[in-house]
Amino acid sequence: MTDRPIALDEYPVHQVPLSMRYVATGDRNAYDRCIFHVMDHTGRALLVAGLGVYPNTGVIDAYATLRLGDRLHAVRASDALSDDRLALTVGPLTITVERPLERLRLRCAADPADPDGLSCDITWHAAFPAVWEPHHTQYRGGRLVLEGRRFVQAGTCTGAIRAGGEELAVTAEEWTGTRDRSWGVRPIPGEEGGRAAEEARPEGFHWIWCPVRFDDRFVMVVVQEGADGHRTLNEALLVRNGTHDVQLGWPHADITYRPGTRHPERAVLHLTDPSRKPLELAAEILTSSPLAVGAGYPPADDWQHGTWRGRDWTDRRTYDLADPAAHPRAAYGVTDHAARFTLDGRTGYGIFEHGSFGRHDPSGFTGYADVAPVGTPDTRPTGDRS
């Protein structure tokens, strides 16, 4: 095929002396993607949707999952990446940027052969400016395996979702939407890990990602720790329209897990305002969606992002989440929890995204098989368990 300029090359947006068809790295794991969370304030429904581009493997894919009761309705699609990078459509899934950083539209077309399957048409409206998360890096065996940059934003949603014979009206008053955009290098399946994968397996990984919308403010907390509690990613921000963003100190989390699991039921994130006044961001979990089930995040065993499934691949299915034992891999992947939050007398809504795998000394977890004690619910701070 002749290598010709593409439409984006008309614009003064180049960062390297290459066509916008190419990324600056030859790493096969280069990616550029987004994720949206749309939740109602009662915990009845949680929609998770996203789209990703993998320029060095020539793949574009997208997904939408809806947790409704104990059912998880999922639509996934994958195709060959074209030169039209403004066409954010894969099979029945489309994201339209109607006004950058302000208004986006999410659509999942209905399947005529399955009238009870998942479909949606939602407009996402920003309530606060987008903010950067810290530059994110991870190494394994001396190799940089993840380097990404993200911005995150909170807003409201309007539209409709259909699944399981029901139609849910999505209104700005009763639903909240959060989203992030990220790009860089991130592992996708299919690469031989070599000695590093064999000998440098992490002892533990502990993750909290928490965007929360209140009526007058947006709070973002992100924490990543290793087995010994050493923190490799940290941010706590308060965002208000028309003012400077406020840093909220070094967050610490007290998480109450469901006995016999690492599934959080509630949590308190301890923050500090600029005057050193303690703040408590408390989360009550409303419903949960494991990203390894339906959404394509590791360690999913039926489909993962960036994998080549051939042209025009679409998959629709429904998972039963009533029995956690039916999805054992989900316990080793990140889960998105829709939650009701309180902060300084205010009530807000957002996502408590959490994953804790292997050893984590501050939580008292000694290895991959360790879970919260069975019996009386453990309400002690995570650092007090022994």
Side-chain angles (χ1 to χ4, degrees), residues 350-361:
I351 293 294
F352 186 83
E353 182 177 274
H354 182 51
S356 183
F357 322 116
R359 188 181 120 227
H360 187 238
D361 294 346

Side-chain angles (χ1 to χ4, degrees), residues 20 22 68 105 134 138 178 183 190 217 255 290 360 373-374:
M20 290 296 290
Y22 307 111
L68 190 62
R105 188 176 178 189
Q138 283 183 233
T178 64
W183 56 91
R217 62 195 61 199
I255 302 175
H360 187 238
V374 177

Side-chain angles (χ1 to χ4, degrees), residues 210-290:
C210 196
V212 187
R213 180 181 71 87
F214 297 89
D215 287 342
D216 64 342
R217 62 195 61 199
F218 168 51
V219 174
M220 172 63 203
V221 178
V222 60
V223 170
Q224 179 179 299
E225 295 179 344
D228 60 359
H230 179 77
R231 195 163 292 189
T232 53
L233 194 67
N234 183 88
E235 186 73 283
L237 281 179
L238 185 151
V239 179
R240 283 189 289 240
N241 288 312
T243 67
H244 292 294
D245 301 340
V246 177
Q247 293 179 314
L248 298 178
W250 188 269
H252 292 278
D254 292 340
I255 302 175
T256 301
Y257 293 97
R258 182 181 301 160
T261 75
R262 296 199 197 182
H263 181 97
E265 294 184 326
R266 57 188 179 276
V268 177
L269 299 175
H270 298 278
L271 311 173
T272 308
D273 76 5
S275 68
R276 300 188 180 181
K277 172 190 172 184
L279 296 173
E280 290 188 351
L281 179 65
E284 175 193 357
I285 304 304
L286 300 175
T287 191
S288 305
S289 187

Side-chain angles (χ1 to χ4, degrees), residues 4-311:
R4 294 193 175 95
I6 63 175
L8 278 173
D9 289 323
E10 289 278 19
Y11 297 90
V13 294
H14 298 83
Q15 300 296 306
V16 293
L18 296 170
S19 166
M20 290 296 290
R21 176 186 285 114
Y22 307 111
V23 289
T25 176
D27 194 319
R28 71 180 291 277
N29 295 315
Y31 81 102
D32 199 331
R33 72 189 189 204
C34 62
I35 187 170
F36 291 81
H37 300 89
V38 179
M39 71 211 77
D40 83 322
H41 295 171
T42 68
R44 183 184 179 201
L46 170 59
L47 178 78
V48 183
L51 181 147
V53 165
Y54 306 86
N56 289 339
T57 57
V59 173
I60 181 172
D61 54 33
Y63 64 93
T65 67
L66 175 71
R67 175 75 187 259
L68 190 62
D70 286 330
R71 297 285 177 176
L72 186 75
H73 305 270
V75 179
R76 298 88 67 82
S78 180
D79 206 346
L81 180 63
S82 75
D83 284 342
D84 186 357
R85 300 302 169 81
L86 298 180
L88 304 181
T89 295
V90 195
L93 298 156
T94 299
I95 297 175
T96 305
V97 181
E98 296 186 343
R99 187 176 297 161
L101 302 176
E102 293 186 21
R103 189 175 70 238
L104 298 95
R105 188 176 178 189
L106 314 177
R107 284 174 287 174
C108 178
D111 180 4
D114 181 14
D116 288 338
L118 173 61
S119 65
C120 66
D121 189 344
I122 295 170
T123 301
W124 188 96
H125 309 263
F128 301 94
V131 293
W132 291 111
E133 296 181 32
H135 193 82
H136 191 185
T137 60
Q138 283 183 233
Y139 289 83
R140 179 173 296 180
R143 179 191 174 187
L144 180 68
V145 294
L146 185 154
E147 182 177 19
R149 195 66 198 265
R150 287 189 295 266
F151 66 74
V152 62
Q153 198 169 20
T156 60
C157 297
T158 55
I161 303 171
R162 300 171 185 86
E166 296 187 60
E167 178 168 331
L168 307 177
V170 179
T171 64
E173 296 77 21
E174 298 174 336
W175 294 69
T176 285
T178 64
R179 72 179 187 116
D180 87 8
R181 280 277 292 112
S182 69
W183 56 91
V185 173
R186 183 170 182 163
I188 57 177
E191 182 178 40
E192 172 58 49
R195 181 174 67 88
E198 182 70 23
E199 298 182 358
R201 185 187 184 201
E203 289 186 71
F205 175 82
H206 193 79
W207 171 264
I208 297 170
W209 180 80
C210 196
V212 187
R213 180 181 71 87
F214 297 89
D215 287 342
D216 64 342
R217 62 195 61 199
F218 168 51
V219 174
M220 172 63 203
V221 178
V222 60
V223 170
Q224 179 179 299
E225 295 179 344
D228 60 359
H230 179 77
R231 195 163 292 189
T232 53
L233 194 67
N234 183 88
E235 186 73 283
L237 281 179
L238 185 151
V239 179
R240 283 189 289 240
N241 288 312
T243 67
H244 292 294
D245 301 340
V246 177
Q247 293 179 314
L248 298 178
W250 188 269
H252 292 278
D254 292 340
I255 302 175
T256 301
Y257 293 97
R258 182 181 301 160
T261 75
R262 296 199 197 182
H263 181 97
E265 294 184 326
R266 57 188 179 276
V268 177
L269 299 175
H270 298 278
L271 311 173
T272 308
D273 76 5
S275 68
R276 300 188 180 181
K277 172 190 172 184
L279 296 173
E280 290 188 351
L281 179 65
E284 175 193 357
I285 304 304
L286 300 175
T287 191
S288 305
S289 187
L291 295 181
V293 180
Y297 283 79
D301 56 4
D302 56 359
W303 170 72
Q304 288 192 29
H305 302 152
T307 53
W308 175 240
R309 290 301 182 100
R311 294 176 182 268

